[in-house]
Every structure is written in structure tokens, then in C-alpha cells.
Amino acid sequence: MSYEEIREQVAKGNAPKVKELTEAALAQGTPPQEILQEGLIPAMDTVGEKFQAGEIFVSEMMIAARAMYASLDLIKPLLATQQSVTKGKAIVGTVKGDLHDIGKNLVAMLMEGGGYEVVDLGINVPPSKFVDAIREQNPDIVLLSALLTTTMPAMEETIRAIEAAGLRGSIAIGVGGAPVTQEFAERIGADFYAPDASAAVSQANRVLAGS
Amino acid sequence: MLIGELINTSRDAVRMAVESRDDSFIRELAEEQEKAGADYIDVNCGSMIGQESEAMRWLVKIVQEVASVPLCIDSPSPEVLELGLASSREKSPMINSVSAETERFREIIPLATRYGAKVIALCMDDGGVPASADDRVKIAGRLVTDLSQAGVALDDIFLDPLVQPISTSETAGREVLRAVDAIRSAHPDAHLVSGLSNVSFGLPSRKLLNRTFLVQLMSAGMDAFLVDPLDRDLMGAYYASAALLGLDEFGIGYIEQFRAGAFE
């Protein structure tokens, strides 16, 4: 077993093979942490870079993520409990009053594909639910989605609620959705704007690298 | 039936034209779409936050100066929809859109009846966008019942099954095709409508997927589409498919398109 082989098979999206390689590595006494650090995370970094460069497509990123999880599901229970096993943790949700989940689901899937642990709060999420989830989950990134101009004000409401709860400092907030703009994101005090689902991943990477 | 989708301020060129009130750009875009076969012209300025009302009023005025086809007024805001409908002089404008979400349905239905408008009805409810064909069919049934009860004629109802990308769920296309087939059987007098670009999100050569899906949707019984009528390959697939499905008597429409040079 070599880490290069695991990385290669993750990039190819070959979940059964990745699972087999992980099982073999664990049987040989390889530390799970090493499989993660030398195999999975660099593999997903490469996948993410290729995706952002337009060399691979969403489907290929999806199957790579699935392959990563075939291994991660095996090694996760073996790692120390408090240990972060991914690039970071992200909470995603469509804001109050808005029931559109296509864009939000894409963001959730691509974030997962990009190596993040994702907590999906669903649609029509009131500000208080975001606040509670931030308290419970302690995320690095919070991503708000809105598809309607009529529900965009709920994004601002959500950010204000997070501030009022004293949780603003610990997280980076990103906003996106068809009618959302850079200008709007700045005006309501978001940390970044993502014009599409893949940009959410690259922006999250950029923000975390900067902090 | 084709709804031309190009007058949308989420497209940079259109946004700039609206901001600078470049009426000749908008006029030309309306004319080109009608000439290319659009039966309706969609007007969407939802991205002009805070200025959507003024933009809608202006766009409706400009487009109507040149278009002889009716407008499809496209906004999430009931106020903007009303404004667009009120400034539309055509007898049967189209509303884009209502859904089975309780509040949205309640706000928008009075507009449909007041203006005698056709209505695009999204197959989603308070639970959000359905994943399966069966859930879409159920919501479509509820929409048909509720819209009929409100006084909207079946022929004025355009059900949108809400297409999702196949790049994130490979069954997304199939579920919509199954839903279209079932909705068509259950409500033969209502219409089925969809945009085409969602299905190909995240994949290469999107236009190829979009126009192949158009043909498949037509085969399943969909009869109206939000499209770029200036996409010649797409339009060719539309006319060929209509002829092959027996929707074009003796293929006369297909022949007309051929004579007009549409397939060159």
C-alpha cells in the first residue's frame, strides 16, 4: 500500500478500491491519522484544484468525495474524538422564508467534495436555528443561501442574530444564490460572496487559509 | 410553445442596458427573440434589488414597443408582478411564477385572475423542491385543483416540474421525465413547462445535454420551454422533435423553418 495509490484512487472516484486499500493499511497497523493526512486530504486538495481550474467536472468531484468517504468512514471512529478530520466544518442552509434547496444542496455537496465536514440545516432556516447550530457545532464557515430577492433580507437578519449572540468572531460567513451580489454581501457584512456553488468552496478555502 | 428567456438582468449585458436605459439594446433583443420563434418574451429584472419596480416598468414599456407577442412577467415579488401585468397591454400575459407554497399561492393567485394571465406553476410546496417523480406528481395535482378552484382555466396552467442537475444526482433527469409523463396523463388539458439549463449544471458541453433533454421532455409530453431562441441547434431540435412527435401537421412547420434557413 502506498499513499500515492490511495490518492490516485480517490481522485479516480474508485470507492471500493479506496475502501480495500484503507482496510489493508489499517490491518498492517498504519496509523489512521496518517492515512488521512497523507492520503485523503492531499487527494481532495488536488481534486479541488483541478475542479477550480476547470480540468474536471462536478460529477468527477462528487465521485471523488464518495471515494474519500469510503475511507473516512473506516478511519473516523479510530481517530481521537476531538480531532478535526477534515479541512474544516461548514454549516449550510437556505434562509427563512425561502424553500429553494437546489443551490444550497450543490453547495453542501461541493463543500463535502472539497474536504469539508458539512452540517446541512435545510431550507427555511430561521436566524435562531443558525445561532443554535453555531453554538452546538462550532463551525469554521457558515453559508447562507437565498434564491429570491424577497428572502435576501433574511440573510441580513441572520447575520445580525449571529452578531447579537456574540458568535460572529469565531466564524466566516459566506452568502450566495441567484440574486445575491458582491455588493449586497458587503453591505450586510458577510465575509464573502460566492457567485456559484464551486466558488463557495474556493472562497471557503481562501478565507480559512487567510485566518 | 417557446418563451424567450434572454431579457433577464442576471445576464451582464442586459443588466448594463437596463442600468443605462439603453432602449435600443432591449428592443433588438425582443425583436430577435420574436423573429426566432418566441411565443412569449420573458422579462426578469429580479437582480436589480431596490430598483426592480422601475426596471420592470421600463422594460415592459420598451419591449411592447416592438414585440407583438405577449410578455411573461418574471419576478419573485407580487408587487413587481402586479406592476408588470398592469403595464402589459396584451390580453393574456404570463406570470412566472406561482408555486404551491402557501403564502406565494395566496399572494399571486388574485393577480392571475385579475389580469386573465397564464400562470407558470412550480411543483414545489412548503416542504421545498421534491426529489422524486411521485412527489412532483402529487404537488402538480394539488396545483391543478387549487388553480382551477381559483378560476384559472386548465389551458392557462403551465406546470413546471423543476429540473435538477444530473451531475449531483444521476437520476434527476429520469425523475423529471417520469413526472412529466404522469402529469401529462393525469392533466391532459394543462401545459407542462421547463427551463433547460439546470439539468446540465457542472458538466461539459452543456448545450448538447440541454437540447437532448428538450427532445426527451417533448417525448414525455412537455409542450412549453423557457429557452434561448437564438440558439439555432436547440431550435432545430425543437422543430424536428415536434414534427417527429406528430405535433406539426404534415411537418409543415418543419418545412417552413427549413425554407427560412433555420437548419443551415
Side-chain angles (χ1 to χ4, degrees):
Chain A
M1 199 276 314
S2 74
Y3 291 120
E4 197 186 330
E5 201 179 356
I6 287 191
R7 291 195 295 264
E8 227 167 72
Q9 295 300 334
V10 167
K12 275 190 190 162
N14 189 342
K17 187 75 191 169
V18 170
K19 186 169 179 234
E20 192 189 303
L21 289 167
T22 307
E23 280 163 350
L26 291 172
Q28 284 169 17
T30 312
Q33 180 64 27
E34 211 174 289
I35 300 174
L36 181 72
Q37 293 300 339
E38 303 295 321
L40 306 185
I41 288 179
M44 290 314 294
D45 280 346
T46 309
V47 167
E49 281 161 21
K50 284 188 175 172
F51 177 70
Q52 276 153 41
E55 288 169 38
I56 63 168
F57 297 96
V58 169
S59 315
E60 293 166 311
M61 189 152 157
M62 300 295 300
I63 60 165
R66 188 175 62 184
M68 172 192 75
Y69 273 91
S71 174
L72 195 56
D73 288 345
L74 291 175
I75 63 179
K76 221 172 173 177
L78 309 174
L79 294 165
T81 44
Q82 286 308 310
Q83 199 162 17
S84 169
V85 294
T86 53
K87 271 199 217 161
K89 195 180 211 179
I91 286 180
V92 302
T94 305
V95 295
K96 190 178 72 179
D98 202 319
L99 306 179
H100 293 86
D101 68 350
I102 300 179
K104 183 267 300 167
N105 290 349
L106 283 170
V107 169
M109 287 189 274
L110 294 190
M111 287 293 287
E112 207 156 61
Y116 286 86
E117 184 181 355
V118 174
V119 179
D120 185 348
L121 300 182
I123 54 175
N124 194 16
V125 181
S128 61
K129 196 169 162 191
F130 276 107
V131 168
D132 292 346
I134 294 166
R135 275 210 188 93
E136 283 161 25
Q137 303 285 348
N138 193 23
D140 306 288
I141 304 272
V142 175
L143 298 169
L144 310 179
S145 170
L147 193 81
L148 303 173
T149 47
T150 48
T151 53
M152 283 166 61
M155 289 181 145
E156 183 168 13
E157 227 181 285
T158 304
I159 295 179
R160 296 294 94 83
I162 293 168
E163 285 168 355
L167 298 165
R168 184 67 183 89
S170 63
I171 51 165
I173 300 176
V175 294
V180 180
T181 60
Q182 176 70 42
E183 192 192 348
F184 176 79
E186 284 168 19
R187 187 154 58 74
I188 65 170
D191 295 294
F192 62 89
Y193 157 66
D196 57 49
S198 56
V201 183
S202 48
Q203 292 283 33
N205 290 345
R206 185 184 59 78
V207 168
L208 288 193
S211 65
Chain B
M1 221 245 341
L2 298 174
I3 305 162
E5 68 185 4
L6 296 179
I7 301 183
N8 188 323
T9 53
S10 66
R11 301 174 65 232
D12 288 342
V14 174
R15 186 187 174 89
M16 285 190 285
V18 173
E19 277 170 352
S20 63
R21 295 293 189 262
D22 179 353
D23 49 346
S24 63
F25 179 92
I26 300 296
R27 256 190 225 112
E28 208 169 297
L29 202 49
E31 275 175 320
E32 276 176 347
Q33 291 188 85
E34 181 174 348
K35 203 170 143 222
D39 301 294
Y40 275 80
I41 292 178
D42 192 87
V43 178
N44 181 324
C45 43
S47 69
M48 310 278 294
I49 296 149
Q51 305 153 49
E52 193 188 0
S53 297
E54 280 162 56
M56 179 60 82
R57 208 188 318 245
W58 181 77
L59 279 169
V60 167
K61 177 175 162 286
I62 299 299
V63 172
Q64 288 196 140
E65 284 172 13
V66 290
S68 56
V69 293
L71 303 187
C72 178
I73 309 292
D74 190 350
S75 172
S77 151
E79 293 76 32
V80 175
L81 280 176
E82 164 126 51
L83 212 150
L85 292 166
S87 8
S88 165
R89 60 153 194 260
E90 287 294 332
K91 278 206 186 67
S92 52
M94 189 179 282
I95 292 175
N96 191 1
S97 55
V98 71
S99 75
E101 291 161 85
T102 313
E103 197 181 329
R104 188 154 178 84
F105 191 87
R106 199 187 55 229
E107 286 174 339
I108 291 169
I109 286 316
L111 300 178
T113 48
R114 192 174 319 149
Y115 293 96
K118 294 180 184 296
V119 187
I120 293 179
L122 311 181
C123 292
M124 63 181 286
D125 61 12
D126 293 330
V129 180
S132 73
D134 292 348
D135 288 339
R136 286 181 168 85
V137 175
K138 274 183 210 146
I139 297 174
R142 242 167 43 225
L143 279 166
V144 168
T145 306
D146 294 349
L147 286 163
S148 300
Q149 209 157 35
V152 180
L154 282 174
D155 188 41
D156 290 340
I157 300 173
F158 289 73
L159 298 160
D160 182 339
L162 293 174
V163 172
Q164 305 202 27
I166 54 166
S167 59
T168 54
S169 165
E170 68 274 7
T171 57
R174 194 183 69 202
E175 289 303 308
V176 163
L177 291 168
R178 281 183 50 215
V180 169
D181 190 47
I183 295 169
R184 171 52 66 228
S185 306
H187 313 287
D189 296 322
H191 300 277
L192 275 145
V193 67
S194 174
L196 293 170
S197 52
N198 275 354
V199 79
S200 60
F201 170 86
L203 293 166
S205 297
R206 294 185 65 176
K207 285 184 168 185
L208 174 60
L209 287 165
N210 295 351
R211 70 173 175 268
T212 304
F213 199 46
L214 167 88
V215 172
Q216 295 178 326
L217 286 167
M218 287 177 79
S219 302
M222 186 170 279
D223 61 339
F225 300 91
L226 265 133
V227 294
D228 169 5
L230 307 183
D231 179 341
R232 290 167 63 90
D233 291 334
L234 180 76
M235 295 296 278
Y238 174 74
Y239 291 115
S241 179
L244 290 164
L245 289 168
L247 304 170
D248 172 11
E249 203 180 22
F250 294 104
I252 297 294
Y254 179 80
I255 294 169
E256 279 173 3
Q257 291 300 320
F258 165 76
R259 290 233 169 85
F263 308 144
E264 279 158 25

